[in-house]
Amino acid sequence: MNGGLFKILYCSRNYIEGEQAQQDAEISQILHTARANNSRQSITGALLFNSGFFAQVLEGPRPAIEKLFEKIQCDPRHGDVTVLDSGNAATRDFPEWAMAHVQTPSDVHACGVTAALDQAFLNPGESGRDVLTLLRTLLVQGD
Amino acid sequence: MEAEPIVAVEEAGSCLPPQANAREYLHPPREGYLVFGRTQEIRFASDSLRAVLQLPSTAKVVGESLLPLLASVSGPDPQTSASVVQWLARQTAEGSGTELPPFALLTAPGASTVYISLDPVGDGYWVATFRDVTSTLQAESEMVAIAARDHLTGIGNRAFFENRCDGMLARLAAREVDSATVLFLDLDRFKLVNDTLGHAIGDALLQLVSERLKKSVREADTVARLGGDEFAILLVSATGREAAAALATRIIDMIQRPYLIDGHVVHVGASIGIAMGPEDGSTREALVRSADLALYHSKATGRGVFHFFDASMQQRAQRRHSLEVDLRKALVLRQFELHYQPQIDVESGAVIGLEGLLRWHHPVRGMVLPGDFIPLAEELGLAVPIGEWVLRTACREAMRWPESVTIAVNVSPLQFGMGNFADSVQRALGASGLPGHRLEIEVTESILLRDGQTVLATLQALRAIGVRVAMDRFGIGIASLSQLVNFPFDKIKIDRSLITLNQDDVKKRAIVCAISALGHSLGISTLAEGVETAEHLAHVREGGCHSVQGFYYSQAVPSGEVADMVSHLFPARAQAKALGSEGEA
């Protein structure tokens, strides 16, 4: 067993340009690819996207996570990657999702999401739990 | 999960920039793909497929059958063609995706080698990806031919870079190309990673850095590791200044993104220097030197940046080199000297201490101030021997002055953090006969950035032999008041910038008061630096400082003039005393 279950949570800034429709197309492409690859690697997680930011949780065997994380780093569609939390974990937070798409609420809550992520960039060490809770909450609402 | 009939083959992490022109620069069309179904009918093909397979622009692809198409492009070698077709048939029947050994596509004007891989995407659909690896294989075979692979990272080594660079410069000389661009890259903070996380992680980091560099450039460009954490990139021709700048920006961005290695999140940065031949050098030596100077400039101006070479760097480097040559000789030729500036007790007006200040008398340069040579001395590893000389000289000369006068010596963070600093202090005291309580060591707050345990141990060792420690230039940098509680300093020297002020500078006054008050309550004495006028003196007296130093009393004077200077200041003291006693009477 090489390290057991490993988890990493990061946020980054969105570099995808263009209209909403183009952005949506890129995101669904990212999700499709992620889901196809992740299920083979027993990686699960969730991806939040709004026009300014990404926030993503990846959980799975450490070597696979490290490989995927490196691949994600090389993606020019985002930047300013800030790791909020990482380490070994006992359980998965998103066991049923090869990559859950967390929808940004379109209503007033959108401001709250942006504020939470702004805070995460400023205080990466203390924001991990908040962002994770945010992802889980929005995921449930999105269902 | 739902199966998608058609997926794009770019993976989530592939390095495709959003703009089409950047895409073109980074990835000339060397990868194309198509999607086909059970009947092998091609349902979709990427735009780049024609270029990769060298199909005529009129050739129909979508709607055609896959195997005949492949047979038509896989060259005149019937065996290759047949084996590809057989392999494809077998793979699609078995239903598992794998990569085929390379097969040759022989198409005029040259031969290219194309890898093909198959991925099932559900519902009986397949994605076939075609990747032109010709230039990779060429580079590989060249590398093998000149035994020029870096063992750790698998990219080219210095010999490989030199070989490629010579080739490029020969083409430049023959006017086959019109420029040759070299980027030198050096990691920022790599040593810290090695020191704190160990060499295994440092090595893994170098491997990932190499991968990221390779992904950032075109396939035909050369990426090599020159050694340690130094890399070089040689760009194929037709790269303008703007494109080189854009690439450097992109590489710096890529390298400074986090790495996840053995469960550790690791951060490094990159500094880059760029030189373009023939302007910056038409021989390898000249071009490399220019790139090196540009890199040095980037390192010196903040790191995480790139600079193009320019001629002023050469001049600066020459000036620096001649300063280096002179500085290396200065100790031996006894060109250093200490000047002394008095420290005055605010209440009594008495000279209570002298700060020894280093001066370099150069026969041609004249008097050189520490700010102009100490940074270089630190870089050259001369800061410690020079510091030891200062310490010994100050102790020896102080023996000539009244016992009531202490001697203050500036010590660089480097020297202070050596671990055996207290020993060299003890040796200097022993050799001169100066009692420990007459010596004061001045350190800047940057020592607090160093290993706290060593610093604390050194402070305690000095205290044990009676030597006092002052924090120099307090109030401008990183030290917080709370750190004064954690580290046993005997004196705070308030920086001159807080003293030389306009009359209405209320904030600065408040800061001086606060520092003095804290000093009082912690039992730390305070000294105000840069007192130049009677007004300044009144201001610091009001603020509650114990002692002062500055032009108002005296500038720093050579040791031969110290006795005169002190006796000049004594009348002032006598006067103050006289006034005081009159007042009491």
Side-chain angles (χ1 to χ4, degrees):
Chain A
M1 197 63 177
N2 200 347
L5 182 65
F6 192 82
K7 204 181 282 187
I8 189 161
L9 167 65
Y10 74 87
C11 57
S12 62
R13 296 190 195 276
N14 170 27
Y15 287 180
I16 302 173
E17 290 172 354
E19 300 291 308
Q20 192 60 45
Q22 269 171 280
Q23 303 219 350
D24 290 346
E26 285 275 4
I27 297 304
S28 56
Q29 192 221 330
I30 289 173
L31 286 167
H32 279 313
T33 321
R35 286 168 182 164
N37 292 336
N38 290 354
S39 49
R40 279 203 296 262
Q41 310 275 350
S42 48
I43 292 174
T44 54
L47 175 72
L48 171 102
F49 168 77
N50 77 4
S51 54
F53 307 103
F54 289 100
Q56 190 171 28
V57 189
L58 303 168
E59 43 193 26
R62 201 181 76 198
I65 295 290
E66 290 189 351
K67 227 175 139 189
L68 177 58
F69 185 76
E70 179 59 21
K71 213 181 206 180
I72 290 169
Q73 292 318 299
C74 293
D75 197 315
R77 290 175 292 199
H78 70 158
D80 204 358
V81 177
T82 307
V83 175
L84 303 179
D85 197 13
S86 70
N88 296 320
T91 54
R92 291 177 189 259
D93 285 303
F94 302 90
E96 283 152 22
W97 297 90
M99 190 46 62
H101 183 197
V102 179
Q103 306 278 357
T104 319
S106 52
D107 54 15
V108 285
H109 295 302
C111 300
V113 172
T114 304
L117 288 169
D118 267 335
Q119 186 57 31
F121 281 102
L122 293 173
N123 266 323
E126 291 149 28
S127 305
R129 184 173 293 273
D130 294 346
V131 173
L132 193 62
T133 309
L134 182 78
L135 289 178
R136 273 197 297 233
T137 314
L138 291 174
L139 182 60
V140 172
Q141 284 172 359
D143 280 346
Chain B
M1 199 188 324
E2 291 168 44
E4 294 292 323
I6 293 177
V7 301
V9 288
E10 288 118 346
E11 293 179 311
S14 77
C15 287
L16 293 182
Q19 290 94 359
N21 56 349
R23 189 184 292 252
E24 184 69 16
Y25 175 75
L26 295 162
H27 288 268
R30 56 184 174 80
E31 191 168 290
Y33 62 94
L34 54 78
V35 178
F36 63 95
R38 283 199 186 86
T39 58
Q40 296 185 353
E41 184 195 341
I42 298 171
R43 301 289 293 270
F44 178 81
S46 70
D47 293 341
S48 51
L49 186 74
R50 283 174 205 282
V52 172
L53 293 185
Q54 303 184 31
L55 296 168
S57 58
T58 50
K60 194 164 169 279
V61 178
V62 174
E64 297 297 297
S65 187
L66 178 65
L67 297 184
L69 176 87
L70 284 182
S72 77
V73 295
S74 56
D77 172 2
Q79 220 167 358
T80 309
S81 157
S83 69
V84 168
V85 171
Q86 275 171 16
W87 177 82
L88 263 176
R90 206 169 51 240
Q91 290 301 316
T92 50
E94 286 171 6
S96 62
T98 74
E99 195 152 301
L100 183 72
F103 73 98
L105 287 172
L106 266 174
T107 322
S112 39
T113 307
V114 175
Y115 271 114
I116 173 169
S117 58
L118 284 182
D119 279 300
V121 290
D123 277 2
Y125 285 93
W126 292 78
V127 172
T129 307
F130 300 83
R131 193 152 56 92
D132 187 334
V133 294
T134 316
S135 52
T136 314
L137 292 179
Q138 258 163 13
E140 291 281 314
S141 62
E142 272 178 54
M143 249 195 260
V144 171
I146 57 175
R149 189 191 297 275
D150 176 56
H151 290 296
L152 177 64
T153 61
I155 61 174
N157 62 12
R158 185 181 288 272
F160 180 66
F161 167 75
E162 289 177 349
N163 183 290
R164 277 288 180 102
C165 194
D166 287 343
M168 180 67 77
L169 289 169
R171 291 175 63 197
L172 188 64
R175 295 175 187 269
E176 286 171 37
V177 294
D178 51 17
S179 72
T181 306
V182 170
L183 281 77
F184 270 20
L185 178 146
D186 187 294
L187 296 182
D188 304 329
R189 300 184 300 280
F190 177 69
K191 194 180 171 304
L192 190 69
V193 173
N194 253 346
D195 290 351
T196 54
L197 298 173
H199 287 273
I201 289 188
D203 285 354
L205 177 65
L206 291 172
Q207 289 166 344
L208 291 178
V209 165
S210 304
E211 286 301 314
R212 290 191 187 181
L213 286 176
K214 262 167 46 189
K215 283 181 181 168
S216 302
V217 302
R218 292 169 295 189
E219 195 162 353
D221 296 331
T222 301
V223 178
R225 177 170 172 236
L226 301 181
D229 58 342
E230 266 185 47
F231 295 85
I233 296 164
L234 177 69
L235 301 183
V236 291
S237 182
T239 307
R241 214 178 149 86
E242 266 175 44
L247 177 66
T249 306
R250 180 179 157 71
I251 289 176
I252 289 170
D253 175 34
M254 284 310 235
I255 298 303
Q256 55 91 30
R257 295 180 178 201
Y259 301 80
L260 184 60
I261 305 168
D262 270 4
H264 298 278
V265 178
V266 181
H267 289 93
V268 285
S271 299
I272 293 179
I274 309 172
M276 301 179 85
E279 294 81 8
D280 302 340
S282 50
T283 62
R284 170 156 54 81
E285 289 73 18
L287 196 59
V288 160
R289 191 169 54 236
S290 297
D292 228 353
L293 280 170
L295 172 60
Y296 178 81
H297 190 69
S298 296
K299 280 280 194 199
T301 54
R303 297 156 184 256
V305 293
F306 70 88
H307 281 282
F308 283 94
F309 170 79
D310 75 61
S312 71
M313 291 175 188
Q314 183 75 37
Q315 289 158 9
R316 255 201 306 274
Q318 273 160 0
R319 275 204 304 274
R320 182 181 176 279
H321 179 70
S322 88
L323 187 67
E324 176 182 333
V325 170
D326 288 354
L327 190 55
R328 286 187 187 281
K329 293 188 292 200
L331 260 183
V332 183
L333 296 177
R334 298 174 183 276
Q335 289 170 344
F336 290 120
E337 188 185 356
L338 288 183
H339 285 196
Y340 295 91
Q341 189 173 38
Q343 300 178 332
I344 315 285
D345 181 86
V346 170
E347 284 313 310
S348 69
V351 175
I352 53 169
L354 291 160
E355 179 182 0
L357 296 160
L358 182 61
R359 299 289 182 260
W360 176 17
H361 284 287
H362 186 269
V364 180
R365 297 173 193 277
M367 178 134 88
V368 191
L369 295 173
D372 296 328
F373 67 87
I374 288 296
L376 179 62
E378 283 179 352
E379 219 176 289
L380 298 176
L382 293 172
V384 172
I386 293 174
E388 301 228 321
W389 177 88
V390 169
L391 193 59
R392 286 195 309 273
T393 307
C395 289
R396 194 179 63 240
E397 294 187 339
M399 288 299 285
R400 295 189 228 146
W401 302 317
E403 275 184 26
S404 59
V405 175
T406 58
I407 177 78
V409 176
N410 291 284
V411 171
S412 73
L414 194 71
Q415 196 182 355
F416 195 87
M418 292 277 280
N420 60 355
F421 175 67
D423 297 340
S424 57
V425 169
Q426 200 141 26
R427 278 198 302 276
L429 290 173
S432 62
L434 189 77
H437 71 266
R438 286 190 60 199
L439 180 64
E440 190 168 277
I441 298 298
E442 290 190 7
V443 290
T444 56
E445 54 198 9
S446 59
I447 64 156
L448 299 178
L449 295 176
R450 295 182 161 255
D451 172 24
Q453 288 308 314
T454 311
V455 169
L456 202 58
T458 304
L459 286 171
Q460 279 157 354
L462 291 174
R463 179 163 277 201
I465 52 174
V467 174
R468 288 184 296 175
V469 181
M471 173 168 282
D472 205 2
R473 311 203 64 195
F474 187 80
I476 51 162
I478 39 86
S480 68
L481 295 172
S482 67
Q483 279 165 316
L484 293 174
V485 182
N486 300 333
F487 291 91
F489 290 103
D490 300 285
K491 186 191 269 185
I492 304 166
K493 296 188 77 179
I494 303 170
D495 189 69
R496 60 175 61 246
S497 63
L498 290 171
I499 307 302
T500 51
L501 37 64
N502 300 322
Q503 274 185 320
D504 52 345
D505 212 331
V506 183
K507 275 188 200 160
K508 284 184 179 176
R509 280 170 195 268
I511 295 172
V512 172
C513 281
I515 296 174
S516 304
L518 186 79
H520 276 292
S521 56
L522 291 176
I524 303 174
S525 89
T526 48
L527 178 145
E529 287 185 283
V531 171
E532 293 175 4
T533 65
E535 249 175 358
H536 294 161
L537 180 61
H539 152 60
V540 301
R541 189 196 294 268
E542 213 176 280
C545 293
H546 297 114
S547 53
V548 294
Q549 186 178 339
F551 290 172
Y552 180 65
Y553 289 99
S554 173
Q555 61 181 36
V557 299
S559 73
E561 296 171 26
V562 166
D564 271 358
M565 183 236 334
V566 172
S567 67
H568 267 101
L569 288 168
F570 263 113
R573 180 197 172 199
Q575 202 178 11
K577 260 198 159 173
L579 285 170
S581 52
E582 252 171 43
E584 276 166 24

